[in-house]
């Protein structure tokens, strides 16, 4: 692919993945147009500003907008390569059924602007078969185009007009800009030719190795990566619950076990949060419910850990009436300001509702408490105040600033440390 001015990209969905991706493509010199349904998001980006927090993203977006390489709008426009980075949540049926509405809607809005020679890439985490379903939706709306993997589509042989591929991202929040460039990528074409076209596109801004495969394998790879991590965290969380009943220090046991050359146990915590690891394994379970016992059980164990922590924290507070309690952390993991889908936030809010003004929440990444704390009497406190005033400390997030609190400062207060950061 020619990454010069004659090639253009259109990124659909300007969220946590779409915006950084659009900015990186633009920085590679490819004029990029970003599309989002939110007018506010579009206006913010066109001013050179950002609506999400991510390390170094502000400067990057400002730069590419100023240079005219990134613009945003609410309507899809013609381009050479389209990248779809829209959400794939669950349906609201309580059964963890994948909701593909955003992908299919984006495909339907994209179909009218497609021209022969275009490449369409789905990046959203998706159940196996979604890329083909997206292709089928486009085929319905554009019978004039020859799409890949559909035989001759009523015509004689020849090369498909459009290339379609699935290429998942695998970036870690807080390191998105680095990992977008340095991580290896799976490039899954509906046909090998589709993979080749998508490969050429990613090669223009990815330094990691781009490994070519088929679309269904690439879809499953993404789900498997996060299910692998979920199962391994579930193992650590289950160990921690076993250790609690046996009165063992789980971190000591893990530290020792991990000295085995082929053992690498992850860290227990108050449950698994975020928008990926707690969600994606269900896409596998939904696709093969009879065969995915282990993956489903791991999910359930990680959710159970959150309730286990809540029960123990509640008992600790109830057993020591009138003792002020400091709860450390609301984020879904260390050193980020993302409080969505966070077990810490769930546990803290339940404690606040039960114990009211005894509870101080310490969260350096928050300027105010989320709405569910309204009326509970709980308040946001700084670290110094919490350490000096609380008789019970409950650690839910392993932010570095919490890790750095020396044992001497905590005195003889009671500690429930779900992250194992205060073991000194
Ligand atoms: N956690 C533990 N113990 C651990 C590791 C993590 O309790 O030893 C918890 C964290 O506290 C957090 C949750 O798991 O609540 C998820 O955190 P994470 O750092 O494992 O992952 P995410 O959700 O930030 O990002 C994951 C990554 N996937 C893998 O590492 C396989 C990332 O590479 C993916 O791109 C991302 O999901 C995604 O978008 O799918």
């Amino acid at each position: 692919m020619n990454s010069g001015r004659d090639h253009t990209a259109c990124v659909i969905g300007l969220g946590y993945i779409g915006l950084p991706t659009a900015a990186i493509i633009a920085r590679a010199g490819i004029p990029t147009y970003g599309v989002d349904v939110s007018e506010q998001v579009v206006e913010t980006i066109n001013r050179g500003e950002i609506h999400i927090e991510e390390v170094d993203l502000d400067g990057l977006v400002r730069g590419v907008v100023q240079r005219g390489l990134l613009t945003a709008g609410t309507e899809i426009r013609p381009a050479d390569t389209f990248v779809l980075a829209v959400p794939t949540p669950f349906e609201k049926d309580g059964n963890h059924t994948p909701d593909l509405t955003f992908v299919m809607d984006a495909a339907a809005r994209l179909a009218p602007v497609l021209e022969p020679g275009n490449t369409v890439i789905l990046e959203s985490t998706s159940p196996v078969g979604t890329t083909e379903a997206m292709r089928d939706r486009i085929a319905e709306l554009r019978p004039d185009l020859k799409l890949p993997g559909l035989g001759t589509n009523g015509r004689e042989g020849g090369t498909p007009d459009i290339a379609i591929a699935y290429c998942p991202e695998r970036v870690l929040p807080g390191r998105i800009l680095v990992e977008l460039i340095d991580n290896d990528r799976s490039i899954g074409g509906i046909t090998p030719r589709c993979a080749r076209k998508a490969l050429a596109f990613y090669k223009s801004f990815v330094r990691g190795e781009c490994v070519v495969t088929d679309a269904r394998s690439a879809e499953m790879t993404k789900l498997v990566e996060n299910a692998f991590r979920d199962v391994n965290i579930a193992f650590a969380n289950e160990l921690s619950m076993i250790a609690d009943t046996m009165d063992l220090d789980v971190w000591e046991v893990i530290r020792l076990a991990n000295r085995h050359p082929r053992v690498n146990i992850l860290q227990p915590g108050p449950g698994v949060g975020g928008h990926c690891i707690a969600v994606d394994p269900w896409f596998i379970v939904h696709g093969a419910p009879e065969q995915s016992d282990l993956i489903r059980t791991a999910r359930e164990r990680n959710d159970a850990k959150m309730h286990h922590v809540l029960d123990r924290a509640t008992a600790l507070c109830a057993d020591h009436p009138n003792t002020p309690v400091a709860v450390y952390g609301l984020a879904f993991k260390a050193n980020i300001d993302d409080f969505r889908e966070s077990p810490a936030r769930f546990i803290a809010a339940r404690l606040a509702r039960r114990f009211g003004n005894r509870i101080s929440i310490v969260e350096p990444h928050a300027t105010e408490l989320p709405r569910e704390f309204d009326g509970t009497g709980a308040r946001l406190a700084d670290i110094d105040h919490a350490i000096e005033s609380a008789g019970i400390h409950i650690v839910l997030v392993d932010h570095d600033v919490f890790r750095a609190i020396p044992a001497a400062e905590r005195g003889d207060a009671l500690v429930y440390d779900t992250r194992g950061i205060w073991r000194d």
Side-chain angles (χ1 to χ4, degrees), residues 5 26-29 60-70:
R5 287 252 162 204
R27 190 176 63 185
L60 173 63
V61 168
R62 197 181 323 118
V64 287
V65 169
Q66 273 169 4
R67 286 159 61 204
L69 285 167
L70 177 65

Side-chain angles (χ1 to χ4, degrees), residues 169-171 173 222 226 229 266-267 273 276 332-333 419:
E169 53 73 28
R170 39 167 66 133
V171 293
K222 170 69 192 184
N226 282 347
R229 194 152 169 87
L266 294 180
Q267 298 301 303
C276 310
F332 86 81
K333 65 178 190 175
R419 296 282 186 175

Side-chain angles (χ1 to χ4, degrees), residues 309-311 313-315 317-318 323-330 343-362 368-381 392 394 396:
V309 168
L310 176 60
D311 290 348
T314 302
C317 299
T323 308
V325 181
V327 177
Y328 294 82
L330 292 176
R345 174 176 168 174
F346 171 84
I347 294 163
R350 286 295 183 92
L351 294 174
R353 215 177 303 158
R354 170 96 186 253
F355 299 105
N357 60 11
R358 281 177 61 196
I359 304 285
S360 299
I361 308 286
V362 189
E368 56 183 22
L369 288 177
R371 257 199 319 237
E372 67 267 30
F373 289 82
D374 289 355
T376 60
R379 62 196 171 283
L380 196 61
I392 299 175
I394 299 175
L396 298 177

Side-chain angles (χ1 to χ4, degrees), residues 17 125 169-174 179 183 222 224-230 232-234 236-237 265-278 280 302 331-334 336 341-344 396-398 418-419:
I17 299 301
T125 302
E169 53 73 28
R170 39 167 66 133
V171 293
L172 203 65
E179 294 205 356
N183 287 358
K222 170 69 192 184
V224 162
E225 289 164 5
N226 282 347
F228 174 84
R229 194 152 169 87
D230 199 41
N232 281 279
I233 298 170
N237 277 334
I265 302 171
L266 294 180
Q267 298 301 303
V272 168
H275 332 290
C276 310
I277 296 200
D280 303 355
N302 282 329
F332 86 81
K333 65 178 190 175
I336 61 167
E341 316 296 333
S342 167
L396 298 177
V397 182
D398 45 344
T418 71
R419 296 282 186 175

Side-chain angles (χ1 to χ4, degrees), residues 363-395:
E363 178 45 90
H365 298 280
T367 48
E368 56 183 22
L369 288 177
R371 257 199 319 237
E372 67 267 30
F373 289 82
D374 289 355
T376 60
R379 62 196 171 283
L380 196 61
D382 64 28
I383 293 183
D384 288 339
H385 173 82
I387 292 171
E388 282 157 24
S389 60
I392 299 175
H393 300 292
I394 299 175
V395 178

